[in-house]
Structure formats: C-alpha cells, structure tokens
Amino acid sequence: MSENPKTITPLSARLSFGEKFRLQTWLMGIIAFAVVLFLLVQAKFILISLAIAIILFSLTSDAINSIQRMKIGNLRVTNWVASVLAVVLIASGLLTMAGLVISQINTVLTTTLAYTDDAQRAIAQMFAWMGEDVEASVLATVRSIEISGYLRSAAGQAGSLLSQVVLIILFVGFLFAERVWFNTKLENLMGDTAQAGRVNRIIGSIIRRVNRYLLVKALISAVTGALIFALVSVFNLQFAAAMGLLTFVLNFIPSVGSIIATLVLTLVAYIQVTEPSTAVLIFVIAGMIQFLLGNVIDPMLMGKTLRLSSFGIIISLAFWGAVWGVPGMFLAVPFMVAVMIVCSHIPAARPVAVLLSREGLPEEEFPLSPAQTAANAEERQYAKAIGAE
C-alpha cells in the first residue's frame, strides 16, 4: 500500500498579507541600501565636495544675511554683492589652506627620506626590551616596507586636493546663486505653506547645531595646533608647522583624531631626539594639552549642542571612514546630527533618533500641528492594520 507523498506548501501561501508586506519592505530596503552604498563609494569625489560646500554655505549664510541688513549711508548692500563677497572670501580661504597643506606635505615628503633609516632604527629600538632577536626581526620587517610607494601615494593625494578645492568653490558659488529662491522652491515642493515652514525650521535647526559644533571645533583645534607648534619649537625639533597643522586637522575627527595626532607627534620626536625621556616628556605634555582642551574646555563650550551618543559617534566614524576614507570621518558628526534631528521629527523614525541621542531623549523642537498629528495617527493605524492581516 503506497503512501501519498507529502505536498510542500509554498512559502508565499503560508504567509499572511501583512507578513508578505513586511518581508517585501525589508528586502526592498536592503536592496536600496546596497544601491545607495554603491553610489556613495563610486561618486565620493563629487559627493564629498558637495557636502563640504553645503557646510561652508551654511556657515556663511547667516553672515550674508547680516551683511544684507547693513547700510552704507543711503545705500544698502544687495544680495548679489554679499554673495559675491562671501564666495571670494571662501575661495581665498580654501586656496590659502590648500596651498599651506600642500607646502607642508612637500616639506615632510622631501625630509622624510633623510630620516628613513633613523625612523626604522627608532621603531626597532622600541622593542629592544623583548630581546635582540625581536629587535632585529622588527627592523627587518620595517625595512621591507616600501616607503617610496606610500610617499608617491601621498604626493598624488596632495595633487588631487587642489582640484577638489576648485570643485568646492564652484558648488558654493552655485549654492549662493540659488539661495534667493530656496523658500519659494520649498513651498512649491511641499504644497503647503505650514509644512514648508516646518521643514525650513528643521533645516535651520540642523544648520545651527552643525555651525556651533564646527565653530567650537575650529577654535579648540586652532588653539591645540598652536600649542603643539610652540611645544615642538621649544624643543628645537623639525616639522613644528607640520605637526601643528596635523593636530589642527585631526582634532576635527572625534575621539580618535587627538590620539593619532599625539602618537604621530611622539614618534616624530622620538626619531629626532637622542634621549627617550625627552620623547616621553613631549608625549605627556601633548597628552595634557589634548585632554585639557578636548575633555574640559570643549564640552564646556559645546554645551548641549550635539547630545549625541558616544557609541553612535564611533559607529558613524567607522561607517563613513569605510565609505569615504578620512574625509568621511570629518563629515561623520555633521551627518549624524542631521540624521538625528530629521528622525526626531518623523514618528516612524523616532526610534533611530532615540538610539543616536546621548540621553535617549531627542527633543522635538517644532511640535506637530493638530492636523499633522492626526495624519500621522492615521498612518500608524494603517500600518498596524496591514501588519495584523
């Protein structure tokens, strides 16, 4: 007597409509994330320039509005005059900074070859306490590294810096040309004056927080870089300007930037001095400077501007560093601030804002109107109804 074979029910037949909808949503989300990630990596040169241009535009937009309200006698500064003045100042500052960075990179690259042997021996001597065999092995390993290849790569990146600066200037110029029509475009896009005003206030909140963060970071980084420059100069070491500039730049990377700057400074000092105790002293002084300015003065000036989770900042640094490299690490915190503020005003995405915030209580600066609250309630009820089917 033969048994009937068991019939296998397809997975689609065993799932309810709500389960199918959720599964389809998750799959589409994963595909969309993969496509966006691919585009971020492939177009990173343009997107990094655009992100920096938007930040520079937001930093100077309030200043432009203040200039427009100024009067010189009976004459008022027009919008295009103020915009042209801002673009000229930004272009001058960027080109000056790029020239300074390129000149310091060239100085470091030309001098590095003279210190290659000393640097290799100094690194090997750090492992002398483990025995002569270990020291010799480390020395052989360090000498096997192709230094010239890294130097050529650094020179190539320095050369591409100028082209990226020119692209940033072009983006800033076009943003200033379009700023007059932004509110009109936003109202036409949203189709509702109240909703457009709410979106405009959210954008203003993002700009204010990011601007305060960048201004405080710039001040703290400038003071730290100047003190490191003075420290290196007091000990009569080379690369004082390069170490000060490196400290200024790396301090914009939260948490890890100051650590990297201090370790690089200590290694440079250890290569040049004859006494290891001098290098240790420089390390201690530089660490005290970084701790005082970064962990005491910086939080006092920053206040409750960010309210970001420390773990979230590390995750953001890792993600954007993997996608865009070092520039992504500089932009990680502004991106995270924008995401947290936007998600805090979207009921469905508010859990994301809770996870990104420090206390788990991201404030909602602009409460919803009764009509918007009712619309959001209807959307949640519709989503629950779909999930229950």
Side-chain angles (χ1 to χ4, degrees):
M1 187 173 179
S2 60
E3 296 182 356
N4 293 328
K6 293 183 180 180
T7 58
I8 300 176
T9 306
L11 179 62
S12 58
R14 296 198 303 266
L15 297 178
S16 64
F17 175 77
E19 292 173 338
K20 291 179 183 178
F21 180 79
R22 286 194 297 269
L23 179 60
Q24 184 180 10
T25 302
W26 276 101
L27 292 177
M28 293 298 294
I30 294 172
I31 294 173
F33 176 76
V35 172
V36 170
L37 187 61
F38 175 78
L39 294 177
L40 286 174
V41 174
Q42 294 300 316
K44 66 179 181 180
F45 184 83
I46 297 176
L47 293 177
I48 290 171
S49 303
L50 179 60
I52 296 174
I54 292 174
I55 290 175
L56 292 175
F57 170 75
S58 66
L59 280 171
T60 54
S61 59
D62 291 338
I64 297 304
N65 294 331
S66 300
I67 293 175
Q68 284 186 253
R69 291 191 292 267
M70 294 174 56
K71 285 186 176 181
I72 304 175
N74 294 326
L75 300 177
R76 182 183 295 273
V77 179
T78 60
N79 175 69
W80 71 269
V81 172
S83 300
V84 169
L85 179 61
V87 173
V88 170
L89 292 176
I90 290 174
S92 302
L94 288 177
L95 292 174
T96 302
M97 181 64 71
L100 180 62
V101 170
I102 291 174
S103 65
Q104 291 301 316
I105 290 177
N106 291 333
T107 301
V108 172
L109 292 179
T110 54
T111 314
T112 299
L113 296 175
Y115 281 98
T116 301
D117 293 336
D118 294 337
Q120 292 172 348
R121 294 193 187 94
I123 294 174
Q125 288 175 1
M126 296 173 62
F127 298 88
W129 60 276
M130 300 178 66
E132 295 181 357
D133 295 338
V134 176
E135 181 181 358
S137 177
V138 171
L139 181 59
T141 303
V142 172
R143 285 180 173 174
S144 64
I145 299 175
E146 192 68 28
I147 303 296
S148 59
Y150 290 102
L151 295 180
R152 284 193 299 269
S153 176
Q157 292 179 0
S160 65
L161 176 64
L162 189 59
S163 60
Q164 193 159 32
V165 166
V166 173
L167 186 59
I168 292 171
I169 294 172
L170 290 175
F171 280 142
V172 170
F174 283 109
L175 286 172
F176 275 109
E178 292 287 331
R179 65 187 292 269
V180 180
W181 310 105
F182 178 75
N183 291 332
T184 303
K185 289 182 178 181
L186 186 60
E187 290 181 3
N188 293 332
L189 179 65
M190 302 303 298
D192 181 12
T193 303
Q195 187 69 14
R198 177 179 170 79
V199 173
N200 200 7
R201 290 192 297 271
I202 293 174
I203 295 175
S205 175
I206 295 172
I207 290 175
R208 285 193 300 271
R209 288 199 188 187
V210 173
N211 286 356
R212 181 176 177 84
Y213 165 77
L214 291 176
L215 290 175
V216 171
K217 272 295 180 184
L219 176 62
I220 296 297
S221 299
V223 174
T224 307
L227 292 177
I228 295 299
F229 172 81
L231 176 64
V232 178
S233 301
V234 165
F235 283 91
N236 294 322
L237 302 178
Q238 290 186 334
F239 309 122
M243 290 298 100
L245 182 61
L246 180 68
T247 301
F248 170 77
V249 173
L250 290 180
N251 269 27
F252 279 90
I253 301 177
S255 304
V256 299
S258 58
I259 298 175
I260 296 174
T262 305
L263 293 178
V264 171
L265 172 63
T266 305
L267 180 60
V268 170
Y270 182 67
I271 293 171
Q272 297 184 55
V273 299
T274 56
E275 293 292 334
S277 58
T278 305
V280 174
L281 178 61
I282 293 175
F283 171 77
V284 172
I285 296 175
M288 291 175 61
I289 293 173
Q290 294 281 9
F291 178 80
L292 178 63
L293 292 175
N295 295 76
V296 179
I297 306 299
D298 192 346
M300 290 174 55
L301 296 178
M302 200 72 70
K304 295 184 177 180
T305 301
L306 293 182
R307 300 170 63 108
L308 295 177
S309 167
S310 300
F311 181 72
I313 291 176
I314 296 299
I315 296 298
S316 181
L317 285 174
F319 175 78
W320 289 108
V323 174
W324 283 354
V326 176
M329 299 178 74
F330 286 103
L331 299 170
V333 171
F335 286 166
M336 190 174 173
V337 171
V339 170
M340 187 187 73
I341 294 177
V342 171
C343 291
S344 66
H345 293 84
I346 301 175
R350 188 169 177 81
V352 177
V354 172
L355 292 175
L356 295 179
S357 62
R358 181 182 301 168
E359 299 90 354
L361 298 171
E363 71 279 8
E364 189 171 337
E365 299 181 9
F366 316 110
L368 296 172
S369 64
Q372 292 168 339
T373 303
N376 291 333
E378 290 180 0
E379 291 179 0
R380 288 194 294 268
Q381 289 177 0
Y382 177 73
K384 289 180 180 178
I386 292 177
E389 293 179 0

